[in-house]
Amino acid sequence: MCRGGSVIFLHAVTIVALGLCLLGGYFAWTEYRLGIREEESVGAGTVFWALGSTILNALFFVAILAQEVPNWIVGPCVGR
């Protein structure tokens, strides 16, 4: 990859991962909101797990983005 100088594959993988993370976060947030409205019939456990999933998706989003930052600033071929 360093010979050609193309990092488009690295950026594409990051974009796909961020998209999947956003999709999972959307589903978790939707389930959380549904659980809040219908808490009596759904139960507190569902609301707890949906909120936990939403928070974890947000943390994974930040982690994936943090792994992409060095590709923007330094590039993948440093030291070669």
Side-chain angles (χ1 to χ4, degrees):
M1 183 173 333
C2 290
R3 291 179 188 160
S6 176
V7 293
I8 195 75
F9 181 72
L10 296 174
H11 296 305
V13 169
T14 300
I15 289 170
V16 168
L18 288 174
L20 289 172
C21 193
L22 283 174
L23 186 65
Y26 170 74
F27 287 139
W29 178 253
T30 303
E31 191 67 29
Y32 171 72
R33 296 291 295 175
L34 181 67
I36 288 293
R37 278 188 267 146
E38 301 174 3
E39 188 171 352
E40 297 167 357
S41 64
V42 173
T46 302
V47 175
F48 172 76
W49 287 111
L51 180 61
S53 298
T54 304
I55 292 170
L56 279 175
N57 270 296
L59 291 174
F60 280 124
F61 186 87
V62 170
I64 292 167
L65 206 58
Q67 289 179 345
E68 176 65 15
V69 169
N71 289 334
W72 293 335
I73 296 173
V74 186
C77 299
V78 173
R80 289 188 182 184

